């Protein structure tokens, strides 16, 4: 082919390219964009799950760790409250006595736990104030005496000695109550004597 023919062919090719390029640019892309090989359809694939990749690596999906269950110790059972048992009270009394003047009395020895004491129950119907002397006599000659004023009222009353540490059972103690008119000297008459082991009224 001669030089003239080559120039004609080259000129024709240039004209063809110049005409076709604007047409291709106006037409735009006609197919789907090229995707990397192996990419799944959609944003993450229809069956894709967040933990699939980690499972494939042998790590498994990470889930929030739940607090370990700590075995709870059984609730301690409070021991049953021990009922406080009061010690038994032992009472040793003499008979109930009365004087012609209107004094009534009964004297007792009481023991409760380690304590022992004397008590007299009385009623004063004489219409005048009296003095009551209560004496507790313990083994070995030990005595405890108290004085109790008795009002001029026909109402029941009591008089008792302080409690002391017992030295045996109540039966080894003796208690005596003496009721007399108020005053000084030997002019006050003894109206009634009542003891824890008295069988007959004593008085004047």
């Amino acid at each position: 082919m001669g030089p003239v023919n080559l120039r004609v062919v080259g000129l024709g090719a240039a004209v063809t390219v110049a005409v076709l390029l604007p047409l291709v640019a106006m037409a735009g892309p006609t197919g789907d964009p090229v995707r990397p090989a192996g990419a799944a359809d959609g944003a993450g694939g229809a069956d894709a799950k967040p933990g699939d990749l980690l499972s494939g690596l042998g790590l498994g999906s990470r889930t929030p760790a739940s607090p370990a269950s700590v075995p709870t110790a059984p609730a301690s059972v409070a021991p049953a409250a021990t009922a406080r048992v009061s010690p038994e009270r032992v009472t040793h009394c003499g008979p109930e006595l009365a004087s012609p003047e209107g004094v009534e009395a009964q004297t007792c020895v009481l023991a409760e736990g380690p304590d022992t004491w004397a008590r007299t129950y009385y009623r004063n119907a004489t219409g005048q104030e009296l003095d009551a002397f209560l004496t507790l006599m313990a083994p070995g000659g030990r005595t405890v005496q108290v004085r109790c004023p008795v009002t001029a009222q026909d109402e029941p009353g009591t008089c008792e000695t302080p409690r002391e540490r017992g030295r045996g059972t109540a039966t080894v103690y003796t208690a005596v109550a003496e009721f007399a008119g108020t005053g000084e000297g030997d002019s006050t008459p003894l109206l009634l004597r009542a003891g824890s082991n008295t069988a007959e009224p004593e008085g004047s």
Side-chain angles (χ1 to χ4, degrees), residues 4-203:
V4 177
N5 293 333
L6 289 176
R7 291 180 181 178
V8 173
V9 172
L11 181 59
V15 172
T16 303
V17 172
V19 173
L20 293 177
L21 282 177
L23 296 177
V24 172
M26 293 177 61
T30 58
D32 294 335
V34 179
R35 299 181 181 178
D41 294 337
D47 298 328
K49 296 181 181 178
D52 289 343
L53 178 58
L54 297 177
S55 299
L57 296 176
L59 300 178
S61 59
R62 293 180 181 269
T63 57
S66 59
S69 59
V70 179
T72 57
S76 58
V77 180
T82 304
R84 297 183 60 183
V85 179
S86 300
E88 181 182 1
R89 174 176 294 186
V90 178
T91 304
H92 177 65
C93 298
E96 182 178 347
L97 305 177
S99 71
E101 294 81 3
V103 181
E104 301 176 9
Q106 183 179 25
T107 304
C108 306
V109 174
L110 298 91
E112 185 176 41
D115 300 329
T116 303
W117 68 102
R119 178 185 294 170
T120 186
Y121 303 88
Y122 62 83
R123 181 189 295 271
N124 178 19
T126 64
Q128 60 179 337
E129 294 182 351
L130 303 176
D131 283 333
F133 297 90
L134 178 61
T135 305
L136 175 67
M137 292 168 281
R142 172 180 170 78
T143 62
V144 178
Q145 188 180 68
V146 294
R147 172 184 173 274
C148 299
V150 179
T151 59
Q153 294 180 355
D154 188 10
E155 297 292 339
T158 61
C159 174
E160 63 181 40
T161 64
R163 300 189 182 197
E164 67 169 20
R165 180 75 58 173
R167 301 184 180 182
T169 61
T171 56
V172 301
Y173 285 78
T174 302
V176 176
E178 296 176 309
F179 294 84
T182 59
E184 297 180 359
D186 298 334
S187 60
T188 56
L190 178 64
L191 302 179
L192 179 68
R193 176 184 295 116
S196 59
N197 53 359
T198 303
E200 296 292 338
E202 300 180 16

